[in-house]
Amino acid sequence: MVHVRHPRTAAWAAAAVLILVPAAAGCSDDGGGGSTTSPTPSATAPPTTSAPAANAPADPAAAKAEIVKNWTTFFDPKATTEAKVKVLENGEQLQLLLAAFSGDKNAAQSSAKVTDVQFTSATEAAVTYDLLVGGTPALPGAKGSAVYQDQTWKVSVKTLCALVKLSGNAAAPGC
């Protein structure tokens, strides 16, 4: 009974970290919204050594490590705006908004921990993560996506728009 409002408050606080995104030009949903988890052949097929799978980048282990690193950076309240711009899809278009938002007290308490990465193509991945507020999971098992843009695995704008929508700001421009 004591924690009845905690999940909504925590979700709102976490989404507040991302409220800057709606003013961005593009919250596109190229894939039809939401992530779809389809069974992967990893349980039945051994890893290929000569050619990458059609639904994975050439080096899946390196790509996964980059995704985890870049998501951690983007959601790190101590990361610079410049660092966040580099790991956000179309981040250069959001630079001024990221800079303006960097002093928000909710942003200073929020972070993310990637718990799973499943490649859906050579340039896209479904990402499962815990959104943390003050180190406590506010949105455990959240679903998002990463995209390969400019030779870098980045947090998708679609993921940020989904979090903004969760905050109750469905009418936000661009989302």
Side-chain angles (χ1 to χ4, degrees):
M1 183 192 277
V2 174
H3 298 292
V4 171
R5 293 181 183 229
H6 177 68
R8 184 174 183 148
T9 301
W12 193 93
V17 172
L18 307 170
I19 204 71
L20 60 107
V21 175
C27 281
S28 66
D29 187 358
D30 302 326
S35 66
T36 305
T37 306
S38 52
T40 59
S42 62
T44 57
T48 59
T49 55
S50 58
N55 65 339
D59 186 346
K64 181 178 179 178
E66 183 178 356
I67 289 168
V68 170
K69 176 181 173 273
N70 290 348
W71 275 59
T72 302
T73 298
F74 184 79
F75 288 99
D76 181 351
K78 294 178 183 155
T80 65
T81 299
E82 182 178 294
K84 291 180 183 201
V85 164
K86 291 179 182 178
V87 298
L88 173 63
E89 179 185 18
N90 302 325
E92 60 285 340
Q93 297 172 6
L94 302 170
Q95 187 168 4
L96 293 175
L97 295 171
L98 287 169
F101 196 72
S102 66
D104 184 84
K105 69 177 183 173
N106 290 319
Q109 298 177 32
S110 299
S111 61
K113 179 182 178 189
V114 173
T115 58
D116 189 38
V117 175
Q118 296 293 319
F119 294 101
T120 56
S121 76
T123 58
E124 295 182 3
V127 179
T128 304
Y129 63 102
D130 295 337
L131 192 58
L132 311 171
V133 175
T136 302
L139 294 173
K143 303 290 184 188
S145 59
V147 296
Y148 192 67
Q149 182 183 57
D150 301 327
Q151 300 181 338
T152 302
W153 282 98
K154 299 180 179 187
V155 174
S156 73
V157 171
K158 180 171 60 173
T159 297
L160 298 178
C161 287
L163 287 169
V164 170
K165 193 175 209 178
L166 180 63
S167 75
N169 197 359
C175 284

